Amino acid sequence: MIQNYLRSAIRNITRHKFISFINIFGLTTGLTCCMLILIYIVNELSYDKFNTNVNDIYRVTRSFNTADGVQSLHLGAIAPPFGPLLKNEFPDIKKVTRIFPNGSVVIRYKDKLLTEEGSYFADENFFDFFTIKTLKGNPRTALTDPFSVVMTAEMARRYFGNEDPINKEIRVSNQFNFKVTGIYEPFPPNAQMHPQMLFSFNTLKDNSVYGEKQLQTSWSNNAFFTYLLMPKGYNIDRVASLLPAFLDKYVHAPGESGNSHESKNSQLHIQRLADIHLHSHLDDEIEQNGDIKQVYIFSAIALFILLIACINYMNLSTARSTIRAKEIGIRKVVGAPRKEIIVQFLSESVLITCFSMVLALVFTAMLIPLVNNLSGLNLAFNYLYQPQILLSVIALPFVVGLISGIYPAVFMSSFKPVKVLKGILKVGAGNVSFRKVLVVLQFSISIILIVATTVVFQQLNYIQHKSLGFDKDHIITMGNPFSNSQFETFRNEVKKNPDIKELSRSSRIPSGRLLDNSGISVFKGDELQQVNADVKCINADQTFIPTYGMKMAAGRNFSRDFSTDSNNYVINVATVKALGWNTPENAVGRDLSYGGVKGKVIGVVSNFHFESLHQNIIPLLMQMPSFDNHNYRKLSIKIGGANISRAVNTIQQAWRKSQPEVPFAYTFLDERFQKLYNSEQRQGNLFTIFSGIAIFIACLGLFGLSAFTITQRMKEIGVRKVLGASIRQIVTELSKDFLKLVLIASLIALPISWYAMNTWLLDFAFRISIQWWVLVLAGFIAVVIAFATISFQSIKAALANPVKSLRSE
């Protein structure tokens, strides 16, 4: 029986090659998109699942509140004393481990001198938390001794080649020697962090590095990522509910004793390790995370595209029902029950879908490298080999085949054999109406994707061209290894080149996050009162503002001519508003205290975008403390645009002369800002691809449906031509019914797309407004594409000789 169904299905597929091609091509395209998006979703949901104890590992984070209880900052890291204290306070915690980012470090081994990113200080039990294979050394003891280091196999090859790296010493930042005690495999791509080098945390106890007392008492340095290992199945809420009392017990202001009220100023939070990648978007993450919203968006796109392909099959199958009517009638006359006919048609749809699935898997494997290039991800075809995913992939063509074929099968199996064989079968209005609903649904989805693509690129264009309040072009940024005297020598050397316009030092540079807040107080009368305002700060020298081309709204910039400027402040206009001083001019000359340091506001700089446009412009205070590279970790150099390579070469030569032990490495500021929006850029590229695919599949179905419908109306067209109808009139008559459906789809899709994209734009503090013409343009594009698709068949039919269609009458 099954063999007979398959033989009949193959015969019908090969007999109607044009319709079969459209069905197979559409389903193959839709399934390919589904497979690619499925691989992306599996990748996103798999983050940190490689760790054996992933369900029992938690991260502790810390948030800070303003005086009125509003959260102003939420960090993924906490202060160093918390780790040991949590272990002592809560006996249910099995283990605690801490990770302290070390930024970029200069590594020397013999004649090799390189700057490395991705280095961390890690507690000795680090490998009890993160399941990474150790290739050499003992993972339990490799990080026990101070000044020991473990590294990835790739990094070991970079420095040691074929030598055995164990017990070899490397020189770090030209200050300390570290002994290599272990080699480990790199963290997989689906990990929340990717350390290339791990230094022993016990090294930090050395006073020349950090200091043991600092580790025990520094509550303000919230830079230590802290993880808890709990018993299996433990209810973490039991610990979380006790954290406010824990804060009040241990965290005190200077000179304060007994229980404090720290829990009103800050809170500790607990996150599951497995939730961090998709659900955590804090102000300071160890690496950039994904977003569960994107998983939902692309899941919806995959379903939409597959639905469009299924609709094509339904429409084309029911449209050609009259061709197969006699076949159905004869089957019923010879005794075939309705159930058997339904199974026959379902077997055809499943067979077509299975064949499409095989093609889709081939195309998926071929397209993954292209998708990786567009998305910046590391997707792999073998993600589909996971048992639960593989079962879903195997079941998918059967599910899609049943969904696509069930309506045509039920509809065509309902034909009455007497009417069919007498040639008086008429397709019911309900069937035609249902086909129209399906076409409307197809084009509604396509129009929504057109609007989404347009809005994403409009927002990206707005971001790229919006004035930031300073000039980001032709600014080189780098780390600052110079002492004050070394910097002056370096500055004088590079300034000999007229292409070098200005140099400045600062603690942070635009494109980074503003995280530093030491509390601000202002004088009200003769009394100094703390202000309920979240004012961030940076250290900046007297050339920072001119280097970036920022504008002074009132007062003056820092100057070397005023020795007191080391205790004075420059603030932005947002700070003026936050402090209630009304105008920039009114703020100049005011006294304030920031972090306990009293000083005077000497100038107000116009607002500028230090952070990305996802964030609002926040109150900012600049100060100019003593010149050392601890206060000024970053260097910014403004160069002319006429000869960039010569300017960079000048900087490089002066750098090597002054800092022979530090490799020369730099980035352009505009590139740093561009990276802030890589996620949106990738999203825009993928939206463009998927919206194009959706429209193409919809038009492919419309092409087949219009071709079949026009074929059924050839005699009517012949009669119209004989009676004098022009080609334009015939084309209009044949096209108008389909175009009405596209217009209805536009009316449905445009409000939905407007609401959806307005919701997406809420992630940006600075965003475009969706203009009415964007919606009209999307509908117009859909109508034009649909008309072009239908016109090919309509014009062909209008040009045909009416004699051929009427000779049998």
Side-chain angles (χ1 to χ4, degrees):
M1 180 68 73
I2 295 175
Q3 187 177 4
N4 182 52
Y5 287 151
L6 291 175
R7 188 184 300 115
S8 179
I10 293 170
R11 188 186 305 120
N12 278 299
I13 291 169
T14 54
R15 183 181 300 162
H16 306 287
K17 293 183 177 63
F18 176 67
I19 299 297
S20 298
F21 169 77
I22 290 177
N23 283 330
I24 292 171
F25 190 85
L27 286 169
T28 299
T29 306
L31 288 168
T32 301
C33 291
C34 275
M35 288 299 99
L36 289 170
I37 293 175
L38 176 62
I39 290 172
Y40 160 75
I41 292 170
V42 170
N43 175 66
E44 291 296 289
L45 296 177
S46 70
Y47 266 71
D48 293 310
K49 301 290 177 61
F50 65 89
N51 295 299
T52 303
N53 298 315
V54 61
N55 294 321
D56 306 312
I57 298 174
Y58 299 85
R59 184 176 74 172
V60 185
T61 68
R62 190 179 187 186
S63 64
F64 296 85
N65 301 333
T66 60
D68 57 357
V70 177
Q71 188 179 104
S72 61
L73 187 68
H74 194 170
L75 302 175
I78 59 177
F82 281 121
L85 289 173
L86 283 165
K87 179 70 175 70
N88 293 334
E89 186 75 9
F90 303 104
D92 288 346
I93 297 175
K94 293 174 67 176
K95 294 179 183 179
V96 174
T97 198
R98 291 168 294 178
I99 304 166
F100 179 52
N102 197 32
S104 61
V105 293
V106 177
I107 306 294
R108 175 179 281 283
Y109 178 72
K110 295 182 179 179
D111 60 341
K112 294 178 180 176
L113 182 67
L114 298 169
T115 299
E116 300 290 357
E117 303 288 341
S119 68
Y120 299 83
F121 288 94
D123 266 322
E124 56 194 87
N125 60 1
F126 176 85
F127 290 106
D128 293 340
F129 283 71
F130 302 99
T131 312
I132 299 298
K133 184 178 179 181
T134 305
L135 303 176
K136 292 189 176 184
N138 185 340
R140 296 188 178 277
T141 60
L143 292 171
T144 301
D145 295 333
F147 297 98
S148 59
V149 61
V150 296
M151 60 181 66
T152 62
E154 180 185 354
M155 182 167 286
R157 283 192 297 271
R158 192 181 308 160
Y159 287 96
F160 306 107
N162 295 324
E163 297 178 35
D164 184 357
I166 299 299
N167 294 324
K168 295 284 195 309
E169 286 195 345
I170 58 174
R171 184 76 171 167
V172 178
S173 300
N174 201 29
Q175 290 180 287
F176 308 105
N177 292 328
F178 282 79
K179 184 168 67 175
V180 179
T181 54
I183 305 297
Y184 60 90
E185 286 187 348
F187 277 63
N190 58 339
Q192 60 151 318
M193 59 179 169
H194 298 87
Q196 301 299 308
M197 185 177 291
L198 295 169
F199 299 109
S200 167
F201 197 91
N202 289 325
T203 308
L204 294 173
K205 295 178 180 178
D206 191 295
N207 288 330
S208 61
V209 181
Y210 192 85
E212 188 168 10
K213 185 177 181 181
Q214 282 282 90
L215 289 173
Q216 296 171 351
T217 60
S218 177
W219 298 103
S220 59
N221 186 13
N222 294 281
F224 292 74
F225 292 90
T226 303
Y227 298 85
L228 312 177
L229 178 61
M230 306 303 297
K232 287 192 179 299
Y234 185 82
N235 182 4
I236 197 64
D237 290 339
R238 292 166 59 184
V239 173
S241 64
L242 299 173
L243 290 178
F246 170 80
L247 274 172
D248 291 340
K249 180 178 178 180
Y250 288 104
V251 183
H252 302 95
E256 189 180 24
S257 61
N259 277 5
S260 69
H261 300 286
E262 178 61 27
S263 59
K264 293 182 179 180
N265 303 321
S266 70
Q267 288 83 41
L268 293 178
H269 309 268
I270 297 180
Q271 297 176 317
R272 290 179 66 245
L273 177 65
D275 291 341
I276 291 174
H277 177 68
L278 288 177
H279 299 277
S280 181
H281 304 96
L282 308 184
D283 293 300
D284 184 30
E285 295 283 2
I286 200 164
E287 287 184 15
Q288 184 177 359
N289 289 328
D291 192 341
I292 191 65
K293 291 179 188 174
Q294 289 199 16
V295 173
Y296 293 149
I297 288 170
F298 285 109
S299 298
I301 289 174
L303 291 175
F304 285 161
I305 290 176
L306 192 57
L307 181 60
I308 290 173
C310 291
I311 289 172
N312 275 358
Y313 187 92
M314 292 182 190
N315 273 340
L316 293 174
S317 296
T318 55
R320 63 192 179 102
S321 57
T322 52
I323 293 177
R324 302 192 64 177
K326 287 187 178 180
E327 173 197 340
I328 296 165
I330 292 171
R331 282 178 181 273
K332 286 196 169 187
V333 167
V334 298
R338 185 179 183 186
K339 175 178 155 184
E340 187 176 309
I341 294 171
I342 289 175
V343 172
Q344 171 63 49
F345 285 114
L346 286 177
S347 66
E348 287 182 25
S349 65
V350 170
L351 183 64
I352 286 176
T353 311
C354 286
F355 182 66
S356 300
M357 188 67 184
V358 172
L359 293 177
L361 290 172
V362 173
F363 288 130
T364 299
M366 293 169 59
L367 290 172
I368 281 179
L370 176 62
V371 172
N372 284 338
N373 287 335
L374 287 172
S375 65
L377 299 172
N378 289 288
L379 306 181
F381 188 78
N382 60 14
Y383 287 178
L384 298 177
Y385 298 162
Q386 300 175 33
Q388 64 271 33
I389 303 301
L390 190 58
L391 287 173
S392 301
V393 171
I394 292 171
L396 184 61
F398 294 96
V399 173
V400 172
L402 291 174
I403 292 172
S404 303
I406 190 65
Y407 174 71
V410 171
F411 168 70
M412 288 190 281
S413 65
S414 66
F415 290 170
K416 303 296 182 185
V418 175
K419 292 183 178 181
V420 167
L421 297 176
K422 285 184 176 181
I424 57 175
L425 173 72
K426 290 187 178 179
V427 178
N431 172 53
V432 175
S433 298
F434 186 68
R435 284 212 304 270
K436 289 179 179 179
V437 169
L438 294 178
V439 171
V440 168
L441 181 58
Q442 276 186 315
F443 275 90
S444 295
I445 294 169
S446 301
I447 292 165
I448 289 170
L449 289 174
I450 292 173
V451 173
T453 303
T454 306
V455 172
V456 168
F457 277 107
Q458 278 192 318
Q459 177 65 16
L460 284 172
N461 184 66
Y462 171 77
I463 287 170
Q464 291 162 356
H465 295 94
K466 185 184 187 306
S467 172
L468 299 177
F470 63 89
D471 183 10
K472 71 178 187 297
D473 296 327
H474 306 133
I475 292 181
I476 290 176
T477 63
M478 58 188 72
N480 177 24
F482 302 105
S483 64
N484 191 41
S485 59
Q486 287 175 331
F487 176 75
E488 292 303 325
T489 303
F490 174 76
R491 173 189 174 87
N492 293 334
E493 185 71 22
V494 299
K495 287 280 282 184
K496 293 176 182 177
N497 185 337
D499 293 322
I500 311 296
K501 304 302 181 183
E502 193 54 89
L503 293 81
S504 71
R505 293 167 290 179
S506 58
S507 56
R508 298 182 184 273
I509 55 176
S511 74
R513 292 303 307 274
L514 290 167
L515 303 175
D516 305 314
N517 182 349
S518 299
I520 189 168
S521 302
V522 299
F523 282 93
K524 293 186 178 179
D526 295 329
E527 185 181 354
L528 191 64
Q529 294 184 3
Q530 187 171 358
V531 179
N532 180 25
D534 181 26
V535 179
K536 308 297 186 185
C537 75
I538 62 168
N539 299 331
D541 66 10
Q542 73 281 358
T543 57
F544 181 81
I545 288 175
T547 296
Y548 283 90
M550 297 169 183
K551 306 297 183 185
M552 297 299 297
R556 63 175 178 85
N557 183 24
F558 296 118
S559 173
R560 288 188 173 185
D561 297 333
F562 297 89
S563 59
T564 56
D565 273 4
S566 60
N567 288 328
N568 289 334
Y569 303 108
V570 173
I571 61 177
N572 67 351
V573 173
T575 305
V576 174
K577 303 297 183 186
L579 299 180
W581 287 342
N582 299 323
T583 66
E585 292 77 13
N586 193 33
V588 175
R590 296 264 194 155
D591 292 316
L592 61 80
S593 174
Y594 192 84
V597 179
K598 294 181 181 178
K600 192 178 295 293
V601 176
I602 59 171
V604 178
V605 66
S606 297
N607 283 339
F608 61 93
H609 292 275
F610 196 99
E611 302 175 305
S612 83
L613 296 185
H614 289 96
Q615 279 79 39
N616 283 306
I617 294 176
I618 59 178
L620 176 65
L621 175 147
M622 299 183 198
Q623 54 191 1
M624 190 176 68
S626 60
F627 290 111
D628 61 61
N629 56 3
H630 176 73
N631 288 328
Y632 300 90
R633 297 186 298 271
K634 299 295 183 181
L635 190 63
S636 304
I637 304 177
K638 178 72 173 181
I639 63 177
N643 198 329
I644 294 175
S645 60
R646 187 175 70 176
V648 171
N649 188 53
T650 297
I651 298 168
Q652 184 176 18
Q653 289 177 4
W655 181 283
R656 287 177 175 171
K657 184 177 178 180
S658 176
Q659 299 290 327
E661 289 296 316
V662 182
F664 177 69
Y666 68 93
T667 57
F668 280 97
L669 184 68
D670 56 350
E671 294 174 354
R672 291 174 60 93
F673 268 98
Q674 186 63 38
K675 287 180 181 178
L676 296 177
Y677 311 110
N678 279 348
S679 175
E680 287 77 17
Q681 185 68 55
R682 289 194 297 265
Q683 200 172 31
N685 292 337
L686 293 173
F687 267 139
T688 303
I689 293 169
F690 289 130
S691 61
I693 290 171
I695 294 166
F696 178 75
I697 296 174
C699 288
L700 195 65
L702 190 62
F703 181 82
L705 191 60
S706 61
F708 187 84
T709 303
I710 290 168
T711 301
Q712 298 295 97
R713 297 178 65 180
M714 286 305 293
K715 288 183 179 179
E716 175 195 337
I717 294 167
V719 171
R720 287 180 180 275
K721 289 193 75 173
V722 168
L723 294 176
S726 67
I727 292 175
R728 182 178 61 81
Q729 289 173 321
I730 292 173
V731 170
T732 302
E733 179 64 28
L734 294 174
S735 303
K736 67 180 183 181
D737 290 337
F738 290 108
L739 294 180
K740 284 179 186 176
L741 300 180
V742 179
L743 288 171
I744 293 170
S746 299
L747 294 175
I748 295 171
L750 295 181
I752 295 173
S753 57
W754 178 86
Y755 175 79
M757 294 315 296
N758 263 319
T759 303
W760 179 80
L761 286 169
L762 291 177
D763 285 338
F764 295 86
F766 296 86
R767 52 187 178 265
I768 61 168
S769 297
I770 300 177
Q771 303 296 317
W772 63 269
W773 62 264
V774 172
L775 305 177
V776 173
L777 178 65
F780 178 74
I781 289 172
V783 169
V784 168
I785 292 174
F787 182 71
T789 302
I790 300 163
S791 294
F792 178 82
Q793 296 290 342
S794 301
I795 294 171
K796 181 180 176 182
L799 293 173
N801 188 345
V803 173
K804 292 182 179 179
S805 59
L806 297 175
R807 75 172 41 148
S808 62
E809 294 299 314

